[in-house]
Amino acid sequence: MSVPAGTATTLNCETIRADFPALHQDVNGHPLVYLDNAATTQKPQAVIDAVRSFYEHDCSNVHRGVHALSQRATVAFESSRTSIKNFLGARDSREIVFTRSTTEAINLVAHSFVGPRLNPGDEVLITEMEHHSNIVPWQLLCDEKGASLRIVPMTDDAELILEEFEKMISERTRIVSVVHVSNALGTVNPVEEIIRLAHDKGVPVMVDGAQAVPHMKVDVEALDCDFYAFSSHKVYGPTGIGVLFGKRERLLKMKPYQGGGDMILSVSFERTTFNEPPHRFEAGTPNIEGAIGLAKALEYIDDLGIDAIQAHEQSLLEHATQAILEVPGVRLIGAPQHRAGALSFVMEDIHPHDIGTILDQEGVAVRAGHHCAQPVMQHFNLSATVRASFGLYNRVDEIDALVKGLHSVREVFG
Amino acid sequence: MSDLKDLYQEVILDHNRNPRNCYIMDGASCTADGHNPLCGDIVKVYLRIENGIIEEISFQGQGCAICTASTSLMTESVQGKSVEEAQGLFDEFHQMLTGVAEEQGVALGKLHVFEGVREYPVRVKCATLAWHTLNAAMEEKKENVTTE
């Protein structure tokens, strides 16, 4: 936390790790090596304190009360929205909608933006690399509307085939929804180019940024995306809250997502007048402490500097790629030019779940499974992979622990 | 590493490497499909039952070492047994893994190698998938079995 924003090229891992209480524990008799950051990240003390402080001092509902606590809660909640706006480089806080998760943000766009514009025969364009959360909402919508879901293919190196993408955008395409960084493979997709190509044909673009925001600078104005979503808990904030950025002119024309309190201006049994965005899309009491905790997490990242974090994680990834491949029988899945956050691999005929159990015995937490991206697994003709995913607090010696664990796997399986 | 040796015993590793009765059966009298969504294990069990006796049993599938070995050993254990005996064995096996039983039955024999799985609660499903699937096949349930 001692490094000024934007100037650092290296992170001081020891001071950083001191900020994360959960990292300091033994698992099965070994120091915890947490390499499951793509699933969720650990939380810095500052975030835990911010959530706790809300409940200890300012706990109240937002947007309504005239009393002191409610005013404090409202100010804290709405200034979190402003922090998020600044973090994403958006123009206007009213472009920041709080959701439960990235998943809910995608569902919101499917329901309130795409749904009313989708006619039989229209198309929704996604990619082969998507998490289930960027597949299933579109499948449901396309089934309901008689539209078709089209899939941009990827190569065996785990890169999207942009020429195919260009060919697949048609006058029937109503939205392109694409993952910024693949959760299963770590591939960084060229979203700038995808957005430009789609906009050239007048097609709006939604970006699933759940795995991008923790690892790289994201500027929604520079990207010019129509929608961008991410989850708090993957970026060192609390669980249960996510963010949808939507261009103001898009949000203004969208119908509500859920009905309830806070999303209305006035209600009678004859007629309801809906509130302005973003409140139109935030029915019910929001996750107040989640918003406060998320803003604190983004502040933490800003203090370290996202460029320094990115450089640190890239060096971890490079080291991990080499070190893992030195273990006999290990094969990395995909070889994209740009990778962030995560590596997926398999080990000859040893099932990833067995690898995960054995690594856990040595205190190393990884993810084994299909990573909610079964089409990715199908592409590579696998049922599962092992995924090691990195965060700003990981150290090179933790990769060594992973490699040592993989040697133990070999030992057990002979 | 001693704990891991309890889980991955030599018999389990052997059955994982060389699963027994692993083939598609022609003329099966009943089959069932099982699925463990947690790790993506899938197994299909084939049975030829005559006069209430499991005359032949085989399987096809894809899974972790615990799942594959458990399925393989299960086929060996229930071959030639009556449907009732197989169900009784499943009950005992299940009790051994979930620690409900005060004392364990002697009928389990080789299946005792799975006792170590009890220490790994998330892996119990890997060991029991085959048995749930066998049960479904014996009861001729039409729907897929999942461990969820």
Side-chain angles (χ1 to χ4, degrees):
Chain A
M1 291 294 301
S2 57
V3 189
T7 58
T9 50
T10 53
L11 297 181
N12 183 341
C13 248
E14 290 322 305
T15 34
I16 289 171
R17 291 180 71 85
D19 294 333
F20 290 82
L23 293 178
H24 308 284
Q25 60 178 301
D26 283 356
V27 170
N28 294 318
H30 298 268
L32 169 65
V33 173
Y34 189 77
L35 300 179
D36 195 17
N37 294 285
T40 201
T41 51
Q42 301 303 329
K43 318 306 173 197
Q45 191 65 50
V47 169
I48 298 166
D49 288 346
V51 171
R52 186 188 169 102
S53 171
F54 168 72
Y55 282 119
E56 285 180 347
H57 305 290
D58 305 329
C59 181
S60 184
N61 212 329
V62 291
H63 296 151
R64 241 170 309 284
V66 292
H67 59 80
L69 266 60
S70 176
Q71 287 176 42
R72 292 208 298 262
T74 303
V75 167
F77 181 70
E78 287 303 329
S79 58
S80 298
R81 199 190 298 277
T82 308
S83 303
I84 293 158
K85 176 211 78 158
N86 293 335
F87 189 84
L88 289 179
R91 263 178 306 185
D92 190 326
S93 296
R94 292 172 298 178
E95 294 180 309
I96 303 300
V97 181
F98 286 117
T99 63
R100 278 187 299 135
S101 54
T102 304
T103 300
E104 190 178 51
I106 297 169
N107 277 277
L108 193 163
V109 172
H111 175 271
S112 296
F113 176 69
V114 181
R117 291 162 181 77
L118 200 64
N119 294 308
D122 284 349
E123 293 168 0
V124 168
L125 191 53
I126 62 171
T127 82
E128 204 182 351
M129 226 180 265
E130 303 306 325
H131 186 280
H132 294 164
S133 62
N134 201 22
I135 301 173
V136 183
W138 304 115
Q139 266 173 345
L140 289 169
L141 185 65
C142 287
D143 281 353
E144 185 192 321
K145 300 284 182 176
S148 57
L149 185 60
R150 304 198 64 200
I151 317 295
V152 179
M154 65 174 164
T155 64
D156 290 343
D157 279 346
E159 292 193 325
L160 292 179
I161 306 175
L162 279 188
E163 303 80 66
E164 288 298 316
F165 171 70
E166 233 180 313
K167 279 188 231 158
M168 290 172 83
I169 311 173
S170 75
E171 70 280 3
R172 301 309 302 262
T173 311
R174 292 292 164 264
I175 187 123
V176 168
S177 192
V178 60
V179 68
H180 195 165
V181 174
S182 156
N183 75 307
L185 301 158
T187 305
V188 182
N189 286 317
V191 287
E192 303 84 344
E193 200 174 347
I194 287 168
I195 292 162
R196 189 177 55 74
L197 290 169
H199 283 182
D200 282 350
K201 299 196 179 173
V203 178
V205 180
M206 156 122 221
V207 180
D208 165 1
Q211 302 289 350
V213 170
H215 305 298
M216 63 188 68
K217 176 71 190 156
V218 171
D219 184 325
V220 292
E221 276 290 304
L223 283 175
D224 195 32
C225 53
D226 299 272
F227 301 98
Y228 195 100
F230 73 96
S231 293
S232 158
H233 72 100
K234 292 192 198 291
V235 64
Y236 311 99
T239 53
I241 187 158
V243 168
L244 172 68
F245 157 83
K247 278 185 180 169
R248 176 95 176 129
E249 59 269 30
R250 297 285 187 203
L251 294 179
L252 279 169
K253 290 183 188 152
M254 282 160 56
K255 66 169 190 170
Y257 176 50
Q258 292 177 330
D262 234 26
M263 54 77 72
I264 48 82
L265 286 179
S266 69
V267 176
S268 72
F269 285 117
E270 288 71 40
R271 189 163 182 275
T272 292
T273 312
F274 299 122
N275 205 339
E276 290 292 301
H279 308 295
R280 186 186 297 169
F281 309 106
E282 296 177 353
T285 295
N287 184 344
I288 305 166
E289 82 279 19
I292 291 167
L294 170 57
K296 189 53 83 174
L298 299 182
E299 190 183 303
Y300 184 86
I301 288 175
D302 271 341
D303 284 347
L304 294 178
I306 189 74
D307 293 340
I309 293 169
Q310 186 173 20
H312 172 71
E313 291 176 351
Q314 280 301 318
S315 73
L316 288 176
L317 268 178
E318 277 163 35
H319 180 76
T321 307
Q322 285 175 7
I324 287 173
L325 286 175
E326 280 166 21
V327 180
V330 166
R331 180 165 63 88
L332 280 178
I333 305 305
Q337 271 195 313
H338 301 289
R339 210 195 272 274
L343 286 175
S344 244
F345 61 93
V346 292
M347 239 177 137
E348 283 173 342
D349 51 353
I350 307 174
H351 194 279
H353 222 83
D354 295 311
I355 298 171
T357 292
I358 295 169
L359 291 178
D360 182 54
Q361 287 306 297
E362 304 204 353
V364 180
V366 295
R367 185 69 169 268
H370 54 56
H371 318 296
C372 294
Q374 283 180 310
V376 172
M377 299 297 116
Q378 282 151 18
H379 177 103
F380 292 101
N381 200 21
L382 298 165
S383 62
T385 71
V386 181
R387 180 186 68 188
S389 55
F390 306 100
L392 53 83
Y393 39 61
N394 287 125
R395 296 183 304 211
V396 169
D397 65 350
E398 293 183 297
I399 293 165
D400 299 338
L402 167 67
V403 169
K404 184 170 164 285
L406 293 176
H407 282 292
S408 301
V409 172
R410 277 255 70 99
E411 215 176 289
V412 169
F413 276 80
Chain B
M1 294 293 288
S2 60
D3 294 340
L4 281 171
K5 289 265 152 65
D6 289 342
L7 179 63
Y8 292 106
Q9 296 200 28
E10 204 39 60
V11 177
I12 292 178
L13 295 173
D14 171 43
H15 276 258
N16 176 49
R17 271 192 297 270
N18 306 299
R20 323 295 200 262
N21 302 311
C22 184
Y23 59 89
I24 297 169
M25 192 192 296
D26 292 327
S29 50
C30 41
T31 67
D33 294 297
H35 178 216
N36 178 353
L38 177 71
C39 34
D41 296 338
I42 47 170
V43 62
K44 187 178 190 80
V45 170
Y46 301 85
L47 290 174
R48 187 163 57 78
I49 297 175
E50 284 169 19
N51 303 319
I53 303 294
I54 298 170
E55 296 291 347
E56 189 181 357
I57 175 166
S58 72
F59 78 101
Q60 287 270 283
Q62 196 178 48
C64 63
I66 305 298
C67 176
T68 304
S70 174
T71 314
S72 172
L73 276 155
M74 176 190 80
T75 62
E76 287 194 330
S77 310
V78 301
Q79 181 102 46
K81 294 212 161 53
S82 71
V83 168
E84 290 72 29
E85 284 170 326
Q87 275 161 346
L89 214 49
F90 177 26
D91 289 342
E92 277 195 46
F93 185 70
H94 199 265
Q95 280 170 7
M96 174 179 76
L97 291 182
T98 52
V100 178
E102 287 290 309
E103 53 186 66
Q104 271 136 32
V106 286
L108 287 173
K110 255 190 190 178
L111 297 175
H112 277 294
V113 295
F114 291 101
E115 217 171 333
V117 178
R118 189 162 52 177
E119 303 303 319
Y120 300 80
V122 295
R123 306 301 300 275
V124 167
K125 287 172 177 176
C126 306
T128 54
L129 175 65
W131 289 90
H132 285 292
T133 311
L134 168 67
N135 225 10
M138 292 191 301
E139 290 173 8
E140 294 195 86
K141 281 186 187 160
K142 293 285 175 258
E143 71 271 26
N144 280 7
V145 180
T146 93
T147 53
E148 291 300 285

